[in-house]
Amino acid sequence: MSVGLARDQRESAIHSQVHLWQVEICPRDAAHDHLAAVISSAVADLRLNDQVHVRAAHGYLVEGEVDLPAVEWIAKRLLVDGVTEVGQIGRVGETALNQQDSDQVCRYVLFKPGVTDAIALTALHTMQASGFAVRAVRTYRKYWISGASAETLTLLERKVIANASIEEVVALPLQLESLATDVRYDFELLRVPLLDADETQLMAISRQGGLSLNLLEMQTIQNHFRSLDRNPTDIELETIAQTWSEHCSHKTLAGRIEYEGPDGRRTFQNMLKETIFKATTQLRQQWGDKDWCVSVFKDNAGVVKFDDQFHVCFKVETHNRPSALEPYGGANTGVGGVIRDTLGTGLGAKPICSTDVFCFAPPDMSPEELPEGVLHPARIMRGVVAGVRDYGNRMGIPTVNGAIYFDRRYVGNPLVFCGNVGLIPVDKSFKQPQSGDLIVALGGRTGRDGIHGATFSSVELTDKSEKLSGGAVQIGNAIIEKMVQDVLLQARDRELYSAVTDCGAGGFSSAVGEMAEGLGAVVDLELAPLKYQGLSYTEIWISEAQERMVLSVPPENWTALQALCHSESVEATVLGHFTDDRKLQLRYHGQTVGHLDLKFMHDGRPPVVRQAKYTPTSAQPYGPSNVATAAHAWNLSRASIEDTLLRLLGELNIASKQWVIQQYDHEVQGGSVVKPLVGAAGDGPSDAAALRPRLDSARTIIVGNGMAPRFSDFDTYHAATSAMDEAVRNCVATGAIPSRIAVLDNFSWGYTDRPETLGALVRAAIACHDLALAWQVPFISGKDSLNNEFSYHDAHGQRQTIRIPHTLLISALGQADTDTECVSMDLKRPGNRLLQIGATYCELAGSHFSLVRGLEGGQVPEVRPQSAWALFETVHRCIKAGWISACHDLSEGGLAVAISEMAFAGRLGATIDLSQIEIFSTNPNAAESRCDTVPADLVRLFSESNSRFVIEVPPAFVDNVRREFATLPISDIGVVTDNSLLVIRSGEQAVAEMDIDTLRERWQKPLAW
Amino acid sequence: MKTLILRGPGTNCDQETAYAFQLAGSQTEILHLNQLLAAPERLRDFQVMCLPGGFSFGDDLGAGRVFGYKLEQQLGEMLQQFRDDGKLILGICNGFQILLSCGLLVSPRQDGVRRATLATNDCGHFLNRWVYLEASTSKCVFLRGIHRMVMPMAHAEGKFMTDGPETTAELESHDQLALRYVAPLPDEPSLGDWPANPNGAMLDLAGISDPSGRVFGLMPHPERHITKTQHFQWTRLAASGRTKENEWPAHWSQNGQGVFRNAVEYFR
């Protein structure tokens, strides 16, 4: 074996000096140049006129006491794939490695020093483990670009081949003396002159320190330290800023709000507690012994009962700001962060599936339309999808559900929601650190990553953010987190620790601060393992380096934990211990650098008082938005209806997301029951995902989501209930037991200091409260992300602000008794009957029909809680009885889109008769008159009224189903046919007749990247 | 009989793979690479070694590269002995990439350079969808009696390639070209074409064995199709009114169980 050779190389290495080698790896042919392909697609997104051609290579810079034969030996076995790649080795700076043709420019792209380079670390560790005296490794990419004008080249350098916030672009020749990144850090205790500062100075301190604290908060801190008769140290001020940040404390929504809206005037002392949280509390009291919630709004995730041995937990986080700046890293760490929420719930839950929802501007926007400082939406989308893909897939957690919503107002401020579900043993659902327990950091090392993420994510983005906020960008390393998970769950089952929490925003400062609440803690900061030297004590404390957990470990268990971690190459380090003096003491090499009163930290923040005011858009008659659209507004001709249906299917919100879905591993862990794509060819859009979390049990969880940002433009109350209806009905359509569905809220909102914007949010929260109570569907966890606005200066130097639509994501976690009770949405068998369930109203405001035909005004879809719930329960009874072969909910695009999707997913035809569908009247004193101009068949086809389904029923069961729905709206609309035609009639009149392949192709085309 | 499920940092299909072996009648033990390196003699406790799917060492230097390198450098001779003793080795997905990296399936050139690889899919990224497979070997122990199978693939680097016709001919002459992607229906011609072949693999190869037939690697995931509701179309079959199993289309029963059962039965 070749071990002998390695030994020879090792011996020769001992006598050599330090060299800096460059191993450059080129694809053997263009077909394998995947790096260049990525650039080419990004260039295509920019729609440049230049005929840009790119060729790429990647490589390693290897520094150490290794000679050329040793590097060649390593390269052949470890770095270069001899079948598809060609390697070239030389000294850094060598001419042979720095060549370009006359019509080319060549650029190196390297991570900036200090940015996590996971690949380089793996290479370094593997070489060192083989005995090579390698000191450092850095990776690089290299591009040869031809056909680009100087202007284009600048654009490519800035926006395509590198991301300025984490990478640097270097021209030929590459010149580096050394890879060393360590810098010296000379300890100096910094105090912030707060005691005598006036208001201006206080705000200057907050701004310069990036603390995001307002004047009142600064004054409160000033008073606190005046009472102690000393200035705070920098680390003390930072700790308070992190704890009081919007991201960590949710001070706005949990604060005092004076609200005035259509529901009257109300004063909240704690808005969330008095709306969403209150509904859950009331439900749990109502349920008494039958309460199936376990832990809500308290831990990292909400926990509900699953079976005798396990509970399930669910959390959805937002990661909007980081994703706007560095889509790949932002989404990557968003997924990593929410998985750590699961790992840090109770004594640690096993992550079993992920759900990811994004909001982007349309990816076909032309670059000229983009404000300065904004990444192209296609670039953001590709980056976000790849970031989610790479983290989830590497962790081995199936990404089973999601949605992508497009609206131009997300252009500067895309939204990225990352959710994770966990499975936790019944007896491991709660934690309690004890005084005397060791504070143990587990997992990744601490670097300068993401400093000020918590405070940064609480401020508005601007066109300068791209340049200023680089430090707040984090890079994930999923394998480290998987290794942490592997040891954590073993340590949990061996009961080696008493509490666990994740290091998220605010790093150690938030994690230890939170765990120490009610106790006290002493932390020796110099003990934290660092990625590189040179971090100050404060940087160590607030770094948001990824993949770290904090454990509270009884001293007697430390040896066992240490051995376990060592056996899996996971780093675990004692940082200090918990006390009982209610103080947080921070030390650096024995010297106290911070001494904070925990009570002040957690309860000292002055209450935020906000005004909130909401006036829904007054209902306007429904009609064309301009002369151009007027001619066709009510066109009922077959050609016009068919054209509208095709355009609806091609709308980005409706179009197939297959390109995204198939990049996610949705079957790992082996429990997949209903996949995100279903049907005869595995390409139909399922309503919700179902999976069995335990291989040895048939009990199933079902995950769905809903959002209706377009309805928010009319009334956020109905947008909220519509989102909740969608999330719940998606689960019900797939087979979930309605009375076992729990939901989460995620508010992504604009600038809430503005009363109108906050008012819109309060109204949505009231809606969540009302519907949760009416349906007895508990909210179990939630998260908000505020101030999602993007400001820039336009061509005239005017400051412009783009506000995102008020966006509330509702995520639903359902359960089914057994996997075989689940149904999918694809048509199954010719001859089966098609029935529409639920009431259709003339609710076209905010609909996609309005978008496509250029209509405005009208009634926004509402939820009628009582009848909706009766429908859900009845649909479920029929599913459980085995009478329903296919079930699909009606959402964007209404019946027309739903029946199209069912038909082409099943590769079967359908014939339906619209005249069978009754149109119900909306609130008589509000809207009737506004709808009478709208032809009934348009309402039947395209209304987006809530709480509706189309079901496929074998003829033998039709009577049973009709009997169940005796008092509820149900219409027998048609039949499944043994051909490829969707035929829509209204009585005797032909409305549309289309080939299902035509429909499907239109639906698949927009995002078939 | 007992199967070793060998995992490392980033392995993530170990539990469902162990479960598949258990259903087939094997005892299983999941060991971390570090544990095996610390006590290589533990290999003797097992008749089968399986390298499950995942992203070992993040696939950082190439899929399966680091894990394969460590196995080759530190356990190479023991693994050859394991095989020569008549025992079985299975690599699924990342496990296949590892086996190919460590030279157990196709021996490397004299200078250590590999002769076969699993390159990036033609589409350039990770892909998860269902594929149809046909066995084309009389040698591979894991595929005995198996004609067709249906199961998901989920990988970014699964395009099998050799360094040239000579190596390919050698593999063919040793009956190593064991498993191929085929069209959904036997009479549909689609060899080599997307989408039947999901990654552009040479000769539609989804899996190969070593010359002995006792070491086998495949990209698709047999452990993800061992129960009915894992099948991507079970809701269609269940709801189609065809309630008797013998009325179901053939691929309904063409699951991945056989791969694991064959391993167990080999030692009966």
Side-chain angles (χ1 to χ4, degrees):
Chain A
M1 294 293 300
S2 30
V3 179
L5 181 53
R7 196 165 296 129
D8 297 342
Q9 299 309 329
R10 281 196 291 264
E11 275 158 18
S12 70
I14 291 168
H15 306 291
S16 55
Q17 61 198 87
V18 176
H19 299 284
L20 182 52
W21 300 104
Q22 180 172 350
V23 180
E24 185 148 302
I25 302 166
C26 292
R28 215 169 254 287
D29 54 57
H32 290 111
D33 198 347
H34 296 286
L35 274 177
V38 169
I39 302 304
S40 299
S41 65
V43 169
D45 290 341
L46 289 171
R47 294 196 241 152
L48 300 168
N49 291 326
D50 315 32
Q51 291 296 315
V52 178
H53 181 261
V54 182
R55 184 166 75 75
H58 72 285
Y60 299 85
L61 307 178
V62 179
E63 184 176 57
E65 293 171 22
V66 281
D67 57 13
L68 186 60
V71 178
E72 282 172 345
W73 191 92
I74 295 168
K76 275 182 193 153
R77 282 161 187 80
L78 197 56
L79 304 179
V80 185
D81 183 322
V83 180
T84 58
E85 296 169 338
V86 184
Q88 188 184 357
I89 301 169
R91 287 175 198 279
V92 170
E94 215 168 76
T95 319
L97 287 163
N98 289 287
Q99 288 181 333
Q100 63 194 33
D101 293 344
S102 56
D103 63 336
Q104 288 176 331
V105 278
C106 180
R107 293 287 182 268
Y108 286 91
V109 179
L110 296 97
F111 282 119
K112 287 180 175 170
V115 174
T116 302
D117 187 345
I119 295 177
L121 272 179
T122 302
L124 175 69
H125 292 154
T126 310
M127 292 176 202
Q128 287 175 338
S130 287
F132 294 102
V134 176
R135 285 183 186 172
V137 177
R138 270 179 90 174
T139 63
Y140 67 88
R141 304 191 303 276
K142 191 172 178 181
Y143 300 99
W144 290 267
I145 302 163
S146 55
S149 63
E151 196 186 346
T152 301
L153 184 64
T154 313
L155 184 71
L156 293 182
E157 286 180 1
R158 280 185 48 231
K159 301 220 164 184
V160 179
I161 63 169
N163 186 322
S165 53
I166 52 167
E167 292 167 331
E168 55 193 356
V169 178
V170 180
L172 295 186
L174 183 65
Q175 282 172 321
L176 269 175
E177 293 298 315
S178 160
L179 302 185
T181 49
D182 291 351
V183 289
R184 234 174 94 104
Y185 167 66
D186 294 315
F187 173 71
E188 185 194 355
L189 181 60
L190 298 176
R191 288 189 187 278
V192 184
L194 211 60
L195 296 190
D196 303 321
D198 62 21
E199 293 186 1
T200 319
Q201 287 164 328
L202 283 178
M203 284 319 289
I205 291 169
S206 171
R207 213 169 27 248
Q208 283 156 16
L211 303 176
S212 300
L213 291 168
N214 64 29
L215 181 60
L216 181 61
E217 290 165 339
M218 287 301 289
Q219 286 168 330
T220 306
I221 298 168
Q222 185 180 43
N223 288 336
H224 176 73
F225 281 95
R226 277 181 179 158
S227 75
L228 299 174
D229 198 23
R230 67 174 177 90
N231 273 314
T233 62
D234 61 336
I235 199 170
E236 289 173 330
L237 197 54
E238 286 278 6
T239 306
I240 295 167
Q242 298 286 348
T243 314
W244 292 6
S245 70
E246 185 65 62
H247 189 91
C248 294
S249 75
H250 303 277
K251 54 193 171 191
T252 301
L253 300 193
R256 198 173 142 185
I257 294 176
E258 308 271 357
Y259 171 74
E260 188 186 340
D263 7 45
R265 278 170 179 279
R266 287 179 67 177
T267 300
F268 297 99
Q269 297 306 321
N270 179 327
M271 198 277 290
L272 285 178
K273 224 173 203 166
E274 291 164 44
T275 54
I276 294 175
F277 191 10
K278 186 177 153 204
T280 305
T281 310
Q282 194 176 322
L283 289 175
R284 297 187 71 182
Q285 277 164 3
Q286 245 169 273
W287 291 332
D289 295 345
K290 296 203 168 72
D291 178 17
W292 52 283
C293 293
V294 177
S295 165
V296 293
F297 293 102
K298 193 167 60 185
D299 209 332
N300 286 341
V303 185
V304 296
K305 291 182 179 172
F306 179 66
D307 64 15
D308 293 349
Q309 295 168 48
F310 292 94
H311 298 321
V312 280
C313 65
F314 193 15
K315 175 62 173 280
V316 177
E317 274 277 6
T318 51
H319 224 225
N320 303 337
R321 272 30 165 231
S323 305
L325 293 176
E326 211 300 273
Y328 181 86
N332 203 248
T333 52
V335 175
V338 79
I339 292 169
R340 285 196 302 283
D341 276 326
T342 295
L343 293 174
T345 295
L347 286 166
K350 178 193 173 194
I352 53 171
C353 69
S354 292
T355 165
D356 294 280
V357 175
F358 316 133
C359 298
F360 301 129
D364 52 1
M365 272 179 86
S366 88
E368 297 85 62
E369 297 176 279
L370 299 179
E372 177 71 11
V374 156
L375 295 174
H376 192 278
R379 168 94 195 271
I380 293 179
M381 180 161 155
R382 285 184 202 280
V384 166
V385 169
V388 167
R389 171 194 73 201
D390 286 355
Y391 212 99
N393 292 357
R394 278 175 165 73
M395 283 289 291
I397 299 166
T399 301
V400 297
N401 176 258
I404 308 181
Y405 213 93
F406 296 94
D407 190 301
R408 296 174 81 90
R409 290 170 285 177
Y410 295 116
V411 68
N413 202 132
L415 304 181
V416 173
F417 301 90
C418 304
N420 190 261
V421 181
L423 188 70
I424 186 164
V426 168
D427 64 345
K428 299 284 190 292
S429 302
F430 297 95
K431 58 186 144 207
Q432 184 56 57
Q434 303 293 331
S435 166
D437 282 358
L438 303 174
I439 300 169
V440 173
L442 185 72
R445 291 188 159 213
T446 299
R448 212 168 265 122
D449 333 37
I451 301 251
H452 279 151
T455 48
F456 163 63
S457 72
S458 310
V459 299
E460 182 191 333
L461 284 173
T462 70
D463 51 358
K464 306 286 183 302
S465 306
E466 194 191 18
K467 293 166 194 119
L468 297 178
S469 316
V473 173
Q474 309 135 24
I475 303 294
N477 186 347
I479 297 312
I480 302 285
E481 188 146 306
K482 177 68 167 77
M483 292 161 72
V484 167
Q485 175 185 322
D486 290 345
V487 295
L488 187 84
L489 296 181
Q490 291 177 67
R492 175 197 74 188
D493 293 340
R494 290 170 56 186
E495 304 188 335
L496 295 180
Y497 56 85
S498 59
V500 56
T501 199
D502 64 303
C503 273
F508 288 139
S509 109
S510 297
V512 176
E514 200 177 287
M515 286 173 96
E517 194 174 359
L519 292 171
V522 178
V523 179
D524 291 302
L525 293 162
E526 76 280 3
L527 298 178
L530 302 181
K531 292 181 178 177
Y532 37 83
Q533 295 307 307
L535 271 72
S536 75
Y537 58 90
T538 301
E539 287 175 319
I540 294 170
W541 184 234
I542 64 168
S543 156
E544 295 185 0
Q546 297 290 304
E547 290 92 26
R548 300 176 305 164
M549 303 290 290
V550 175
L551 303 180
S552 166
V553 181
E556 64 273 20
N557 294 345
W558 169 237
T559 316
L561 180 69
Q562 209 179 9
L564 171 64
C565 292
H566 180 74
S567 76
E568 306 230 349
S569 313
V570 174
E571 207 158 10
T573 313
V574 175
L575 297 182
H577 61 276
F578 291 105
T579 64
D580 57 4
D581 64 1
R582 311 287 192 272
K583 298 275 193 267
L584 175 65
Q585 191 186 354
L586 304 174
R587 300 189 297 215
Y588 188 75
H589 289 291
Q591 183 164 350
T592 297
V593 293
H595 200 258
L596 280 168
D597 182 58
L598 281 166
K599 195 166 162 41
F600 175 71
M601 239 174 87
H602 290 293
D603 304 328
R605 177 172 55 74
V608 174
V609 183
R610 292 267 187 280
Q611 300 298 316
K613 193 170 168 16
Y614 189 63
T615 318
T617 308
S618 59
Q620 298 294 320
Y622 187 56
S625 53
N626 60 56
V627 189
T629 59
H632 290 289
W634 313 130
N635 195 333
L636 272 172
S637 73
R638 193 178 137 184
S640 177
I641 296 278
E642 290 179 352
D643 176 64
T644 298
L645 177 53
L646 284 174
R647 284 164 63 191
L648 277 170
L649 289 167
E651 265 299 308
L652 290 170
N653 290 341
I654 294 169
S656 171
K657 311 297 185 295
Q658 182 165 346
W659 177 82
V660 178
I661 294 166
Q662 288 194 333
Q663 293 191 54
Y664 301 152
D665 191 336
H666 48 265
E667 297 178 295
V668 61
Q669 297 191 15
S672 173
V673 173
V674 175
K675 301 173 205 305
L677 293 170
V678 294
D683 58 8
S686 74
D687 287 325
L691 64 97
R692 292 180 301 122
R694 299 177 58 182
L695 293 168
D696 58 352
S697 159
R699 193 165 178 87
T700 297
I701 64 160
I702 297 176
V703 184
N705 70 73
M707 58 160 57
R710 285 175 53 79
F711 299 170
S712 291
D713 297 339
F714 296 85
D715 190 335
T716 52
Y717 189 96
H718 301 306
T721 55
S722 294
M724 192 160 159
D725 191 87
E726 186 182 14
V728 169
R729 74 179 185 251
N730 276 331
C731 290
V732 170
T734 309
I737 309 162
S739 59
R740 271 290 180 283
I741 296 174
V743 291
L744 309 183
D745 62 86
N746 277 86
F747 291 92
S748 277
W749 234 252
Y751 190 59
T752 42
D753 283 2
R754 215 171 23 235
E756 296 74 25
T757 305
L758 184 56
L761 193 154
V762 174
R763 176 140 167 98
I766 292 172
C768 291
H769 164 269
D770 295 352
L771 195 54
L773 278 186
W775 281 358
Q776 300 201 23
V777 167
F779 280 85
I780 57 168
S781 181
K783 189 83 189 198
D784 53 83
S785 164
L786 307 181
N787 306 331
N788 287 286
E789 302 195 348
F790 182 81
S791 294
Y792 66 102
H793 292 87
D794 66 14
H796 311 292
Q798 296 292 313
R799 187 179 162 92
Q800 303 285 349
T801 297
I802 306 174
R803 301 173 189 171
I804 63 162
H806 308 307
T807 308
L808 169 63
L809 168 67
I810 301 286
S811 308
L813 177 62
Q815 304 183 23
D817 291 331
T818 96
D819 51 352
T820 49
E821 282 170 16
C822 294
V823 294
S824 59
M825 50 69 71
D826 46 310
L827 294 184
K828 305 294 189 310
R829 193 172 214 201
N832 282 352
R833 299 300 305 176
L834 293 166
L835 295 96
Q836 183 179 316
I837 309 285
T840 302
Y841 296 82
C842 181
E843 292 174 320
L844 286 156
S847 69
H848 288 70
F849 173 73
S850 303
L851 191 69
V852 161
R853 282 221 174 164
L855 298 157
E856 62 183 15
Q859 278 299 118
V860 74
E862 297 182 14
V863 174
R864 285 87 188 164
Q866 275 68 35
S867 56
W869 193 255
L871 278 163
F872 294 161
E873 299 239 280
T874 312
V875 166
H876 181 65
R877 266 203 312 282
C878 294
I879 287 177
K880 208 167 165 72
W883 298 334
I884 294 184
S885 305
C887 183
H888 195 22
D889 83 311
L890 270 54
S891 55
E892 288 92 353
L895 170 64
V897 165
I899 191 69
S900 302
E901 290 174 342
M902 294 176 82
F904 63 62
R907 297 295 194 274
L908 288 169
T911 299
I912 61 167
D913 179 3
L914 299 177
S915 67
Q916 297 302 310
I917 302 169
E918 182 186 351
I919 297 177
F920 286 68
S921 40
T922 49
N923 186 348
N925 39 25
E928 200 69 45
S929 59
R930 299 199 181 91
C931 224
D932 47 11
T933 48
V934 188
D937 283 340
L938 291 181
V939 176
R940 291 167 175 139
L941 274 173
F942 301 115
S943 164
E944 295 187 8
S945 288
N946 284 299
S947 323
R948 295 183 304 156
F949 306 86
V950 171
I951 56 174
E952 177 193 352
V953 181
F957 301 136
V958 169
D959 287 344
N960 298 358
V961 170
R962 292 198 78 111
R963 204 172 308 120
E964 289 291 328
F965 280 94
T967 61
L968 295 164
I970 181 168
S971 3
D972 193 337
I973 56 170
V975 65
V976 182
T977 57
D978 198 5
N979 57 35
S980 63
L981 283 182
L982 173 63
V983 179
I984 303 174
R985 289 200 314 265
S986 184
E988 293 306 304
Q989 195 194 337
V991 175
E993 184 172 324
M994 304 183 78
D995 189 89
I996 57 167
D997 291 330
T998 310
L999 297 169
R1000 178 174 52 82
E1001 281 158 17
R1002 182 60 82 92
W1003 176 76
Q1004 287 178 327
K1005 198 175 160 206
L1007 295 173
W1009 287 2
Chain B
M1 78 141 268
K2 200 168 176 186
T3 301
L4 163 66
I5 310 288
L6 185 60
R7 69 181 174 94
T11 301
N12 62 33
C13 300
D14 43 324
Q15 298 194 12
E16 58 267 38
T17 305
Y19 186 70
F21 272 105
Q22 287 160 21
L23 282 189
S26 172
Q27 292 183 297
T28 59
E29 187 170 349
I30 301 176
L31 278 185
H32 192 281
L33 175 64
N34 287 354
Q35 292 170 299
L36 186 64
L37 291 178
E41 69 281 0
R42 293 186 69 172
L43 255 186
R44 290 193 213 110
D45 302 343
F46 303 95
Q47 284 72 47
V48 181
M49 180 177 96
C50 177
L51 294 157
F55 287 81
S56 57
F57 296 90
D59 282 355
D60 283 341
L61 310 186
R65 195 85 61 82
V66 175
F67 202 125
Y69 172 83
K70 284 179 184 275
L71 283 184
E72 185 210 357
Q73 294 289 307
Q74 294 177 261
L75 290 177
E77 284 165 22
M78 287 202 69
L79 290 178
Q80 286 180 11
Q81 193 60 52
F82 189 84
R83 174 190 57 193
D84 295 344
D85 288 346
K87 295 180 173 184
L88 302 178
I89 301 178
L90 174 65
I92 301 170
C93 195
N94 196 235
F96 181 19
Q97 294 162 340
I98 293 167
L99 287 180
L100 210 51
S101 281
C102 75
L104 270 174
L105 287 165
V106 183
S107 58
R109 280 181 357 202
Q110 278 288 287
D111 61 358
V113 172
R114 55 159 63 187
R115 294 191 295 149
T117 195
L118 289 157
T120 303
N121 299 344
D122 278 350
C123 68
H125 55 71
F126 188 98
L127 205 59
N128 175 193
R129 59 179 189 75
W130 280 62
V131 290
Y132 297 80
L133 304 164
E134 205 166 272
S136 51
T137 168
S138 57
K139 203 180 221 175
C140 178
V141 171
F142 292 93
L143 295 174
R144 281 183 183 170
I146 292 175
H147 175 47
R148 286 174 69 98
M149 294 190 290
V150 192
M151 60 183 69
M153 52 77 73
H155 59 249
E157 290 95 10
K159 178 184 180 175
F160 182 81
M161 296 177 67
T162 63
D163 61 354
E166 248 174 67
T167 304
T168 311
E170 178 194 315
L171 297 180
E172 194 160 20
S173 70
H174 291 137
D175 193 8
Q176 290 180 252
L177 308 178
L179 188 67
R180 295 169 201 252
Y181 301 107
V182 291
L185 296 170
D187 51 354
E188 282 181 25
S190 81
L191 289 183
D193 293 342
W194 169 273
N197 176 339
N199 50 31
M202 186 188 91
L203 300 173
D204 301 315
L205 282 164
I208 64 163
S209 72
D210 80 332
S212 78
R214 290 192 301 276
V215 183
F216 177 48
L218 77 168
M219 288 313 300
H221 287 272
E223 81 282 9
R224 296 189 190 179
H225 185 199
I226 52 171
T227 60
K228 283 177 192 170
T229 58
Q230 288 172 326
H231 190 288
F232 76 118
Q233 288 185 334
W234 75 268
T235 54
R236 295 187 68 70
L237 299 164
S240 62
R242 286 177 284 206
T243 48
K244 292 185 191 138
E245 289 207 25
N246 60 12
E247 294 174 31
W248 288 337
H251 73 247
W252 177 247
S253 56
Q254 291 165 348
N255 58 37
Q257 287 173 352
V259 171
F260 306 101
R261 234 177 4 232
N262 275 332
V264 173
E265 274 166 17
Y266 185 70
F267 293 99
R268 285 250 161 88

